[in-house]
Amino acid sequence: MNHMNMESGIDMSMKHEEHMDHHEHSDMNHHDHGDIHHHGHSKKPFWQSVFVSTTHCSSGCSLGDMIGAPLVFYSGFLIAGSMLLTDYVVEFILAFLFGIAFQYYGMGFQKHDQPGKAIKDALKAADTWSLIAFEIGMFGWMALAYFVFFVEMPEPNTVIFRFMMQIAMMPGFLTSYPANWILVKKGIKHAM
């Protein structure tokens, strides 16, 4: 009987500890409710947080670039008679719009009580500087492809063009990483 009471005391103690751990975790979640960006990321080294922030920015840019180039090509729309300039403008606009959408939906801004403020927060967090830095790297590579690597630039419906776009995403990431580092360091952008 004494042995049984001891076991049940251990069981009760373990259940109490599990309940306390769950309660502390639940309190932590409720305490950090307003700070969506920092929860669960404090154990990550700074460079990794910046890396993840850069991939977040890069995904919107890449999507805008992958959709923009064929859109320009198939529509035949040109700005100042230049396919490259038109690509740059359309791809930048699409990248910016995707960046806002990713912030609005991906970071939970749509759950705010005030939709206008949520959109403003998403615009602020849309990483304009890191987006510009990404596009500088990507557009720079595409300019090299357009003016240096090929006599005539491959059209967006070819495998070679798509391959050049994939390579262009690497310099885009490399130029965006330092921008994200500075933005996160200064607290303008949240670490992820």
Side-chain angles (χ1 to χ4, degrees):
M1 176 107 155
N2 192 17
H3 177 65
M4 209 161 124
N5 282 342
M6 210 166 140
E7 280 181 4
S8 104
I10 291 171
D11 286 346
M12 296 276 288
S13 173
M14 288 174 74
K15 285 182 182 175
H16 179 70
E17 285 178 24
E18 287 174 7
H19 176 72
M20 291 303 290
D21 287 346
H22 175 71
H23 183 67
E24 287 171 8
H25 181 69
S26 178
D27 283 350
M28 188 181 352
N29 286 342
H30 290 296
H31 179 69
D32 291 342
H33 177 69
D35 192 8
I36 296 169
H37 303 293
H38 291 292
H39 180 68
H41 301 295
S42 60
K43 294 181 182 180
K44 205 182 286 181
F46 182 74
W47 71 268
Q48 285 181 356
S49 295
V50 173
F51 186 91
V52 174
S53 293
T54 306
T55 60
H56 190 265
C57 165
S58 299
S59 62
C61 292
S62 298
L63 197 53
D65 295 327
M66 290 186 315
I67 293 172
L71 186 68
V72 169
F73 175 73
Y74 288 116
S75 72
F77 173 72
L78 295 177
I79 297 172
S82 170
M83 174 82 74
L84 187 64
L85 176 63
T86 309
D87 276 342
Y88 286 175
V89 171
V90 170
E91 290 169 17
F92 185 86
I93 291 168
L94 287 174
F96 192 71
L97 292 174
F98 281 119
I100 293 167
F102 286 176
Q103 291 296 330
Y104 187 76
Y105 292 105
M107 302 302 281
F109 288 126
Q110 80 274 15
K111 296 177 186 171
H112 283 238
D113 295 338
Q114 303 167 335
K117 184 180 180 324
I119 291 172
K120 186 179 174 185
D121 288 345
L123 278 167
K124 244 195 286 185
D127 309 329
T128 304
W129 293 113
S130 57
L131 185 141
I132 289 169
F134 183 91
E135 296 295 5
I136 286 170
M138 184 162 194
F139 290 169
W141 176 265
M142 292 309 283
L144 285 173
Y146 196 85
F147 294 114
V148 177
F149 302 149
F150 297 98
V151 174
E152 189 176 319
M153 183 65 178
E155 294 181 340
N157 62 344
T158 64
V159 174
I160 296 170
F161 182 88
R162 287 289 170 196
F163 182 63
M164 288 291 113
M165 288 278 284
Q166 288 177 347
I167 293 172
M169 291 175 198
M170 289 183 252
F173 185 89
L174 292 175
T175 55
S176 184
Y177 186 87
N180 278 284
W181 183 285
I182 293 166
L183 292 170
V184 171
K185 197 78 168 166
K186 291 190 174 221
I188 298 168
K189 182 177 178 178
H190 294 290
M192 295 184 158

